């Protein structure tokens, strides 16, 4: 099972490259990933039927009891087969659905494949925390898929609505799963269900788990997000809303039903919400005119039915529910694919405008007819077999008579609605007729009303011309036909399906075993089926009167409108709270934080802490000198009026701290502090170019005294912490064993570096992720319009001559150049002297900004700094250094190149996009952590290889070097991104402003890369 997941991961990561190489045909290759899941399930069919459940367990974080546990029983087998099979057919369908020139296919292919992998992981996960991880991955990926058309407001709104609803339900579910695991003493899903805990806390946990299922499967009152999600491309609707995402909630209910379906709270929630959703969804589907919305509300109704069957707790209903899961996946996915084909051929989904489609697209109409017949429960289709089994099971309920009656007649009435809207769907899509109504609107499902009675009616549009219907490619029709035919084939062998699904149904606590049959004789269930079909046909026949009757009724508050009102109110409350608590004053925020520090922990320290009897001021006089320098620099920085002066003084204080680290015997920390302080100084200076040279007016005298008081109090408290905290320890620190563990398990003598890349590698992983996010955030703020992927090279610049008025040209030009005449003495355009080129892009600088000495020094030092960085990288495991320090050294080298030669010199020094370095570094670090899993190890486990090589002699290689290289690349990418944004981009904006153009006044996607002027020689 682990390899099936890895196949999805590999395909998802490779999808952009495949789409770039093969175009939309790449979807045929991507289909192999979910197909592998279906093949895996089919290969285990016989053994699963015999009661064998394959299990895979990989230790993840043994100390916390976290593990990657996967298990496939009958329910997982069914879901895996549906997720994989339908997913493969949908990806095949995508290869013909999208235009060859469609935008965003690389991202779409990767996300859809990743979603399929997340669903595979969800249905086979045997650890509740792992199940939650995959659950949330499906939420995130579905958000990206629903919002695929990001330029459309409806898509963005639908995606945000879906992620808000499902994430809220997922968080509630997480709490419930944690409580269940804690009460059961295990987080293994199979063990919790086999021996379910009880008690008040467990009851609350079960409710929270059901909240998660309700949000995911779009049950009332959270059903509104699913119809809105029809803004997604049709393949997304066919997969997520028929066979995958919405079935995650169904799977959760079916998984926990054997353990808790006999509890009152479970039955109450399942019956109320399941039956209510069944009726509301079917009723709403009767008045939709968009074919996708008909199917969307029909899906809501069917999900209510399936939840009701798998959650009510009887064996017969469970068997019918499992059969309905499979039948629904086949017929509903087929119908969505049919709608996509009709839309592609006609350009509309409005059933009032469609006519003659069945004659022009006979195979599409054939697939739609088979799938519709299965949906409404006609024999001999899978939907009929499942619905007959459901009616038979509900006729012999195990609860109170009135409850059984409510459930039974809810299913009967809901099935009547299904027959009516199913027939209306096929009639509207494929029949030939002359009469038509007004066109469908995007918000028809909201039932907006005019001031009078009835729905808003817009101007009529003419029906389509059947002669202009375009023929469809084979791959746009075949997947729908395959799914529809499978719905027929499955019904012809009902006993085989019963043998497959019965083992899981037998785990339910009550009821007689059910049966799947195509003909059970003349039974009450058959009579109810005839009644359902008769009334459903009548409702379809009288559809106009039904629509007018629905329009005349008061519908009450719409769930979608209510959601939007609640969100607007929430925004208003948040704005009001923010207006009170976030005043926009950084000194006020910092003052509140520091005051709480003094009054909270500070008072506790004074009142309840014992103090040492004697203190040692310093070990050597040099420490006193460093502290004095730090104090003086800090005081002067606080009193400084100039921003640059304050930054330099703060830098001096930072270098003083580095001296203290060195004097305390921590050269690695001292080196890192020096490098970080240097980079910070450069970044601050770059930022200061866009700020006034002086701080704002000083505060009033009274305010100054308040600030001074807070500062002194914080300083005293922090000094007290430094004295008291070492005495407060009651347990042996974990760092005591670090020296021995660092060498024995990490293979290195540099404890700091081994801690970063091995002992505390998870912390480092989180930190470099934060660095990547910070770099992205800074770039997003600085690049006002577009962020091009181009790298500024000398070839992009254009050569110009100096201006006769003495103003410099080129990078950092635009200001008066008093020395221009002196440099031009004795030189004209025909006698230009040949000068040595120290930096390739030096000619792009304005002449008055160039420094030959600086360029020569940069040329001499740059490569030495790179070599020194590589030395730190490879020797850091045993000596001061490591990937972080090495990355900072390379960053400083790039800073020097930028300061000496400008933004084009930065491009010459590092002709690579920083995003590539950031992503590659994070990928390398994560990949180095995952590789040990393939060899039976744990995540981020290191290995030590010792070999003897000619010339080099004995070589000791530790695999954490790859993790360290990833850190190195992230740091280099971060510095390069900062230089590109706070340096090069601000340079460009400043020059544009000096030229009288707005910094964000971009005229095209490559505006940020417009060429600069190059000054020549000594001009």
């Amino acid at each position: 099972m682990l390899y099936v997941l890895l196949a999805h991961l590999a395909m998802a990561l490779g999808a952009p490259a495949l789409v770039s190489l093969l175009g939309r045909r790449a979807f045929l290759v991507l289909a192999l990933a979910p197909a592998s899941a279906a093949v895996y399930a089919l290969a285990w069919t016989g053994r699963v039927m015999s009661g064998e459940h394959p299990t895979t367990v990989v230790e993840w974080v043994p100390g916390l009891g976290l593990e990657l546990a996967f298990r496939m029983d009958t329910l997982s087998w069914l879901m895996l087969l549906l997720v994989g099979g339908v997913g493969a057919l949908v990806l095949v369908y995508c290869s013909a659905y999208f235009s060859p020139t469609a935008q965003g296919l690389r991202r779409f292919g990767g996300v859809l494949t990743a979603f399929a992998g997340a669903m595979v992981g969800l249905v086979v996960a045997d650890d509740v925390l792992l199940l939650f991880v995959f659950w949330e991955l499906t939420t995130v990926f579905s958000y990206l898929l629903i919002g695929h058309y990001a330029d459309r407001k409806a898509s963005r709104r639908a995606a945000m609505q879906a992620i808000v609803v499902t994430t809220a339900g997922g968080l509630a579910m997480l709490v419930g799963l944690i409580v269940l695991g804690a009460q059961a003493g295990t987080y293994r899903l199979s063990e919790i269900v086999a021996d379910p805990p009880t008690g008040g806390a467990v009851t609350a946990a079960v409710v929270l788990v059901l909240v998660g299922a309700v949000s995911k499967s779009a049950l009332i009152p959270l059903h509104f997000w699913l119809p809105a999600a029809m803004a997604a491309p049709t393949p997304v609707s066919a997969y997520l809303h028929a066979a995958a995402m919405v079935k995650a909630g169904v799977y959760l209910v079916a998984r926990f039903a054997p353990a808790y379906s006999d509890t009152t709270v479970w039955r109450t929630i399942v019956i109320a919400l399941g039956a209510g959703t069944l009726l509301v969804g079917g009723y709403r589907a009767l008045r939709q005119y968009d074919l996708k919305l008909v199917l969307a509300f029909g899906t809501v109704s069917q999900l209510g039915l399936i939840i009701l069957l798998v959650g009510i707790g009887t064996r017969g209903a469970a068997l019918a529910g499992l059969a309905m899961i499979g039948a629904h996946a086949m017929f509903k996915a087929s119908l969505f694919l049919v709608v996509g084909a009709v839309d592609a051929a006609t350009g509309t989904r409005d059933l009032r405008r469609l006519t003659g489609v069945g004659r022009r697209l006979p195979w599409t109409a054939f697939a739609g007819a088979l799938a519709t017949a299965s949906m409404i429960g006609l024999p001999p289709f899978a939907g009929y077999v499942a619905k007959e089994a459901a009616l038979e099971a509900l006729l012999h309920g195990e609860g109170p008579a009135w409850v059984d009656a409510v459930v039974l007649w809810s299913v009967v009435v809901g099935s009547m609605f299904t027959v009516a809207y199913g027939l209306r769907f096929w009639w509207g899509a494929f029949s030939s007729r002359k009469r038509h109504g007004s066109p469908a609107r995007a918000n028809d499902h909201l039932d907006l009303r005019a001031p009078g009675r009835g729905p808003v009616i817009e101007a009529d549009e003419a029906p389509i011309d059947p002669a202009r219907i375009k023929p469809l490619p084979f791959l746009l029709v075949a997947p729908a036909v395959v799914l529809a035919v499978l719905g027929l084939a499955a019904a012809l062998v009902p006993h085989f399906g019963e043998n497959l699904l019965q083992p899981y149904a037998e785990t339910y606590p009550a009821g007689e075993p059910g049966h799947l049959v195509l003909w059970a004789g003349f039974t009450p269930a058959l009579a109810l089926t005839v009644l359902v079909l008769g009334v459903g046909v009548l409702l379809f026949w009288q559809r106009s009167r039904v629509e007018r009757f629905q329009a005349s009724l008061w519908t009450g508050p719409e769930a979608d409108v209510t959601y939007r009102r609640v969100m607007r109110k929430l925004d208003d409350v948040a704005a009001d709270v923010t207006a009170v608590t976030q005043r926009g004053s950084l000194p006020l925020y910092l003052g509140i934080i520091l005051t709480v520090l003094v009054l909270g922990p500070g008072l506790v320290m004074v009142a309840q802490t014992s103090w040492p009897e004697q203190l040692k001021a310093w070990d050597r006089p040099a420490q006193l000198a460093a502290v004095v320098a730090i104090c003086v620099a800090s005081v002067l920085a606080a009193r400084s009026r100039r921003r640059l002066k304050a930054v330099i003084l703060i830098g001096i204080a930072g270098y003083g701290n580095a001296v203290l680290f060195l004097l305390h015997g921590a050269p690695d920390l001292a080196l890192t502090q020096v490098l970080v302080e240097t980079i910070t100084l450069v970044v601050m200076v770059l930022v200061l170019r866009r700020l006034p040279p002086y701080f704002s007016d000083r505060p009033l005298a009274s305010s100054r005294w308040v600030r001074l008081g807070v500062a002194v109090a914080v300083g005293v408290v922090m000094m007290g912490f430094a004295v008291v905290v070492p005495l407060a320890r009651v347990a042996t620190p974990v760092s005591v064993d670090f020296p021995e563990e660092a060498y024995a398990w990490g293979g290195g003598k540099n404890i700091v570096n081994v801690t970063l890349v091995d002992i505390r590698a998870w912390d480092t992983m989180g930190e470099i992720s934060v660095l990547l996010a910070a770099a992205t955030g800074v770039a997003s703020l600085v690049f006002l319009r577009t962020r091009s992927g181009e790298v500024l090279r000398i070839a992009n610049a254009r050569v110009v001559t100096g201006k006769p008025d003495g103003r410099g040209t080129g990078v950092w030009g635009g200001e008066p150049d008093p020395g221009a005449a002196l440099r031009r003495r004795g030189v004209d355009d025909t006698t230009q002297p040949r000068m040595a080129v120290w930096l390739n892009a030096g000619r792009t600088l304005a002449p008055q900004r160039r420094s030959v000495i600086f360029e020569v020094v940069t040329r001499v030092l740059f490569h030495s700094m790179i070599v020194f960085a590589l030395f730190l990288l490879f020797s850091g495991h045993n000596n001061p250094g490591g990937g972080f320090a090495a990355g900072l050294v390379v960053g400083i080298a790039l800073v020097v190149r930028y300061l000496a030669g400008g933004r084009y010199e930065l491009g010459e020094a590092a002709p690579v996009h920083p995003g590539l370095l950031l992503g590659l570094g994070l990928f390398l670090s994560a990949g180095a952590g995952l590789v040990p899993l393939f060899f039976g190890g744990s995540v981020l486990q290191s290995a030590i290889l010792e070999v003897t090589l000619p010339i080099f002699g004995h070589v000791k290689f530790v695999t954490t070097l790859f993790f360290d290289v990833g850190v190195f690349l992230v740091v280099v990418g971060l510095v390069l991104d900062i230089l590109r944004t706070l340096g090069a981009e601000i340079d460009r904006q400043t020059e544009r402003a000096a030229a009288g153009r707005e910094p964000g006044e971009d005229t095209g996607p490559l505006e940020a890369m417009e060429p600069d002027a190059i000054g020549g020689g000594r001009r």
Side-chain angles (χ1 to χ4, degrees):
M1 281 179 278
L2 186 60
Y3 291 107
V4 174
L5 287 171
L6 292 176
H8 283 81
L9 176 62
M11 281 293 189
L13 294 176
L18 285 173
V19 175
S20 298
L21 181 64
L22 302 176
R24 61 179 184 173
R25 292 175 299 173
F27 286 103
L28 299 175
V29 180
L30 297 178
L32 295 175
S36 68
V39 170
Y40 179 84
L42 289 173
W44 277 88
T45 301
R47 284 173 284 185
V48 171
M49 289 178 63
S50 63
E52 185 178 350
H53 301 149
T55 303
T56 302
V57 180
V58 178
E59 294 291 338
W60 185 12
V61 186
L64 299 178
L66 298 180
E67 56 189 11
L68 304 178
F70 303 98
R71 179 175 179 269
M72 186 170 66
D73 60 0
T74 303
L75 178 60
S76 297
W77 173 87
L78 173 64
M79 295 298 299
L80 190 61
L81 184 63
L82 296 177
V83 168
V86 176
L89 289 173
V90 168
L91 282 167
V92 170
Y93 179 87
C94 289
S95 66
Y97 176 80
F98 289 105
S99 166
T101 59
Q103 299 295 316
L105 290 188
R106 292 183 296 178
R107 180 185 67 252
F108 180 85
V111 174
L112 186 57
T113 307
F115 175 86
M119 278 300 304
V120 168
L122 190 153
V123 300
V124 298
D126 195 34
D127 182 276
V128 293
L129 298 181
L130 183 63
L131 181 146
F132 173 76
V133 170
F134 285 115
W135 182 282
E136 288 304 297
L137 284 176
T138 61
T139 297
V140 174
F141 292 140
S142 66
Y143 166 77
L144 297 174
L145 292 170
I146 294 172
H148 173 69
Y149 298 122
D151 56 332
R152 304 178 185 176
K153 183 178 180 181
S155 294
R156 298 195 303 271
R157 176 179 291 175
M160 183 60 66
Q161 186 170 277
I163 198 172
V164 168
V165 173
T166 55
T167 299
L171 292 176
M173 184 191 75
L174 174 62
V175 176
L177 293 177
I178 292 176
V179 172
L180 285 177
Q183 293 294 317
T186 177
Y187 286 97
R188 281 291 187 91
L189 184 56
S190 56
E191 295 177 4
I192 294 175
V193 175
D195 186 17
T198 57
V202 171
T203 300
V206 168
V207 173
L208 293 174
V209 169
L210 286 176
V211 169
V214 167
S215 66
K216 205 75 161 182
S217 289
L219 268 61
I220 59 171
L222 304 178
H223 63 287
F224 54 87
W225 71 262
L226 197 151
M230 294 302 107
T234 297
V236 174
S237 301
Y239 191 36
L240 273 67
H241 307 138
M245 180 181 173
V246 294
K247 292 291 175 61
V250 173
Y251 168 79
L252 194 69
V253 172
R255 178 60 71 191
F256 282 98
Y260 295 105
S261 60
D262 56 349
T263 61
T264 302
V265 64
W266 176 284
R267 288 178 60 84
T268 302
I269 294 175
V270 166
I271 292 174
L273 299 187
T277 304
L278 169 63
L279 297 175
V280 169
Y283 177 81
R284 295 290 299 275
L286 291 174
R287 66 186 191 212
Q288 304 304 318
Y289 296 105
D290 186 321
L291 293 177
K292 280 186 75 173
L293 286 178
V294 174
L295 295 182
F297 281 102
T299 300
V300 170
S301 177
Q302 295 283 314
L303 289 172
L305 171 63
I306 298 173
I307 290 284
L308 190 61
L309 294 177
V310 299
I312 201 170
T314 63
R315 296 183 179 92
L319 179 64
L322 295 175
M324 184 60 75
I325 290 175
H328 178 264
M330 290 184 286
F331 68 65
K332 192 55 65 73
S334 177
L335 289 174
F336 272 117
L337 297 181
V338 164
V339 170
V342 171
D343 192 10
T346 64
T348 182
R349 300 193 304 262
D350 188 345
L351 59 79
R352 294 166 295 185
R353 295 189 58 211
L354 294 170
T355 182
V357 178
R359 294 181 179 178
R360 300 289 296 177
L361 304 175
W363 281 103
T364 305
F366 172 71
L370 294 184
T372 301
S374 182
M375 180 174 68
I376 67 178
L378 282 180
F381 291 92
Y384 168 79
V385 173
K387 197 164 292 184
E388 281 291 292
L391 293 174
E392 185 65 34
L394 296 177
L395 283 168
H396 303 86
E398 296 291 325
W402 70 272
V403 174
D404 292 340
V406 168
V407 173
L408 175 63
W409 286 103
S410 295
V411 172
V412 169
V413 175
S415 299
M416 293 173 181
F417 290 155
T418 302
V419 173
Y421 70 70
L423 294 175
R424 183 170 176 268
F425 168 86
W426 196 91
W427 166 83
F430 299 108
S431 66
S432 298
R433 57 196 185 280
K434 296 181 180 180
R435 192 174 180 179
H436 66 280
S438 58
R441 306 181 310 278
N443 59 353
D444 266 341
H445 65 288
L446 298 182
D447 192 28
L448 301 177
R449 292 174 175 272
R453 303 179 67 183
V456 176
I457 301 298
E458 299 177 357
D460 290 352
E461 290 187 19
I464 65 170
D465 182 4
R468 302 183 65 180
I469 296 178
K470 298 177 292 185
L472 297 175
F474 173 76
L475 292 181
L476 200 62
V477 180
V481 174
V482 170
L483 287 169
V485 171
L486 285 176
L488 172 62
L492 298 179
V493 285
H495 294 292
F496 180 69
E498 180 180 332
N499 294 334
L500 284 171
L501 304 178
Q502 192 70 263
Y504 191 78
E506 290 294 333
T507 63
Y508 277 66
E512 295 296 325
H515 299 283
L516 299 179
V517 294
L518 197 56
W519 172 252
F522 295 97
T523 63
L526 180 62
L528 288 177
T529 298
V530 173
L531 177 64
V532 165
L533 293 174
V535 175
V537 171
L538 178 63
L539 290 174
F540 166 70
W541 179 41
Q542 298 295 325
R543 56 189 174 277
S544 298
R545 294 184 178 180
V546 171
E547 291 176 20
R548 287 195 296 271
F549 174 74
Q550 287 181 309
S552 67
L553 297 177
W554 178 75
T555 59
E558 292 287 344
D560 185 80
V561 175
T562 303
Y563 164 81
R564 294 184 185 179
R565 289 175 179 172
V566 170
M567 295 304 294
R568 282 196 295 268
K569 289 294 183 181
L570 185 61
D571 288 341
D572 293 341
V573 172
D576 294 340
V577 173
T578 302
V580 175
T581 59
Q582 303 289 317
R583 308 296 297 178
S585 172
L586 294 179
L588 175 63
Y589 302 155
L590 187 59
I592 293 174
I593 294 172
L594 297 178
T595 302
V596 171
L597 173 68
V598 172
L599 298 180
L603 291 179
V604 173
M605 176 187 66
V606 173
Q608 301 182 10
T609 304
S610 60
W611 294 81
E613 297 180 357
Q614 69 180 77
L615 295 173
K616 187 176 182 180
W618 58 77
D619 294 323
R620 61 188 72 178
Q623 293 174 335
L624 176 61
V627 171
V628 170
I630 293 172
C631 293
V632 172
S634 300
V635 172
L636 292 178
R639 293 181 53 82
S640 174
R641 293 291 309 278
R642 291 184 65 91
R643 298 179 188 271
L644 180 61
K645 178 182 176 182
V647 168
I648 294 175
L649 289 170
I650 293 174
I652 293 174
Y655 288 123
N657 278 317
V659 172
L660 285 179
F661 290 149
L662 184 63
L663 294 175
H664 276 285
D668 208 328
L669 293 179
L671 173 64
T672 304
Q673 176 70 22
V674 168
L675 296 174
V676 170
E677 202 63 48
T678 303
I679 292 290
T680 304
L681 275 175
V682 172
V683 172
M684 292 297 294
V685 170
L686 292 176
V687 173
L688 289 181
R689 295 182 301 165
R690 298 301 297 267
L691 296 176
Y694 290 91
F695 290 108
S696 59
D697 294 337
R698 283 185 171 276
L700 300 175
S702 58
S703 177
R704 280 191 237 168
W705 286 109
V706 172
R707 296 167 188 242
L708 179 61
V710 173
V712 171
V714 172
V716 171
V717 168
M718 294 307 299
M719 289 175 61
F721 286 163
V723 172
V724 170
V725 167
L727 302 177
R729 185 183 298 278
V730 296
T732 303
V734 294
S735 59
V736 169
D737 297 324
F738 274 20
E740 180 180 353
E741 292 177 350
Y743 189 76
W745 302 102
K749 299 177 182 179
N750 183 351
I751 302 173
V752 174
N753 183 257
V754 176
T755 300
L756 291 174
V757 301
D758 194 324
I759 301 175
R760 302 296 293 272
W762 276 113
D763 292 349
T764 306
M765 182 70 70
E767 289 163 3
I768 62 177
S769 301
V770 170
L771 286 178
L772 191 147
T776 304
V778 171
S780 301
L781 292 173
V782 174
F783 284 85
L784 300 180
R785 292 290 181 88
T786 59
R787 186 182 185 189
S788 172
E790 298 292 330
V791 177
L792 287 173
R793 303 294 300 274
I794 187 66
N796 302 124
R798 51 186 173 84
V799 180
V800 298
T801 59
K803 296 181 180 179
D805 62 358
R807 288 184 175 270
T809 59
V811 179
W812 298 333
E815 297 181 359
D817 183 11
L822 180 63
R823 286 194 303 274
R824 293 176 57 85
R825 180 175 299 175
V827 178
D828 56 36
D829 293 339
T830 60
T831 61
Q832 177 72 34
R834 185 177 183 85
M835 300 180 63
V837 177
W838 295 100
L839 297 178
N840 290 335
R843 295 178 297 128
T844 64
L845 293 181
Q848 72 271 28
R849 296 291 188 178
R850 296 187 65 180
S851 169
V852 176
I853 296 177
F854 196 7
E855 291 183 18
V856 173
V857 171
T858 300
R859 178 69 175 268
V860 172
L861 290 182
F862 179 78
H863 298 91
S864 300
M865 295 177 71
I866 299 298
V867 173
F868 178 60
L870 293 176
F871 169 78
L872 292 177
L873 174 63
F874 289 104
S875 66
H877 216 59
N878 294 287
N879 299 294
F884 188 74
L888 291 175
V889 171
V890 173
I892 293 174
L894 294 175
V895 167
V896 172
R897 286 286 289 268
Y898 166 72
L899 295 178
R903 59 179 177 269
Y904 284 99
E905 186 61 31
L906 179 64
E908 294 297 317
V912 61
H913 194 277
L916 178 62
L917 293 178
L918 289 166
L920 182 61
L922 187 62
F923 176 76
L924 185 59
S925 296
L930 293 175
V931 166
L933 294 176
F934 295 97
F935 299 93
S938 59
V939 178
L940 294 172
Q941 180 178 342
S942 60
I944 302 174
L945 306 176
E946 297 190 51
V947 296
T948 301
L949 299 176
I951 301 176
F952 295 98
H954 181 73
V955 176
K956 183 179 182 180
F957 178 78
V958 185
T959 55
T960 49
L961 175 63
F962 296 109
F963 186 92
D964 218 8
V965 171
V967 175
F968 168 78
L969 292 176
V970 169
V971 174
V972 174
L974 174 66
V975 177
L976 185 59
D977 207 20
I978 290 175
L979 291 175
R980 189 167 178 262
T981 52
L982 299 181
E985 177 63 11
I986 288 183
D987 290 344
R988 187 189 67 84
Q989 293 178 12
T990 302
E991 292 162 13
R992 290 169 61 83
R997 301 175 65 186
E998 291 295 329
E1001 210 176 84
D1002 296 339
T1003 58
L1006 297 181
E1007 179 68 22
M1009 296 294 111
E1010 64 177 6
D1012 289 315
I1014 299 179
R1018 293 168 57 184
R1019 288 185 170 84

